[in-house]
Amino acid sequence: MNGEDQENWGKRAVCRTADPDELFVDGTAQNRAKALCTGCPVRTECLAYALDHRIEHGIWGGMTERERRALLRRRPLVTSWRRLLEAARSEHQRLASPDEGHAWDVAG
């Protein structure tokens, strides 16, 4: 992801107006910081950016640095977290949206 891409999604991030000191915290304060990510429209982009760039500090995409390290260890062969997470999001949306015109649909 280039800087322009980050700038575009960063403008839509829920945390853009938060005090950065609230996002780079330790201990139980991390749960409050992670709560900012709930429902954020660019959570996936944010997490992918942190994973692809191996960012070690702060809450990114709703994950702590410890959670991101564990994910990176579990999936060492991933070369682009952005592609992987975008594909997963697309698949989730495809499965979540009702298919029209199938025999199993109940007509109202």
Side-chain angles (χ1 to χ4, degrees):
M1 177 184 305
N2 63 38
E4 182 179 324
D5 289 338
Q6 181 191 5
E7 184 177 310
N8 288 334
W9 65 257
K11 289 178 182 177
R12 299 188 334 263
V14 169
C15 65
R16 73 187 173 284
T17 58
D19 179 352
D21 290 338
E22 294 177 13
L23 302 173
F24 294 87
V25 292
D26 294 320
T28 58
Q30 289 181 328
N31 290 329
R32 284 191 305 275
K34 287 169 58 171
L36 285 173
C37 302
T38 303
C40 181
V42 294
R43 184 175 181 172
T44 301
E45 291 85 347
C46 179
L47 178 57
Y49 182 83
L51 291 167
D52 282 337
H53 292 89
R54 304 301 195 262
I55 296 176
E56 296 184 15
H57 303 288
I59 303 297
W60 290 78
M63 294 184 85
T64 66
E65 52 269 16
R66 179 181 290 175
E67 292 166 336
R68 291 192 308 275
R69 279 193 304 269
L71 183 56
L72 289 167
R73 279 193 304 274
R74 284 194 307 269
R75 303 289 301 271
L77 302 179
V78 174
T79 57
S80 172
W81 285 96
R82 182 178 183 192
R83 276 196 304 267
L84 178 70
L85 293 175
E86 286 176 352
R89 180 174 52 191
S90 294
E91 180 67 7
H92 174 76
Q93 289 171 343
R94 185 184 69 78
L95 293 173
S97 57
D99 292 330
E100 297 178 15
H102 285 87
W104 58 84
D105 287 346
V106 177

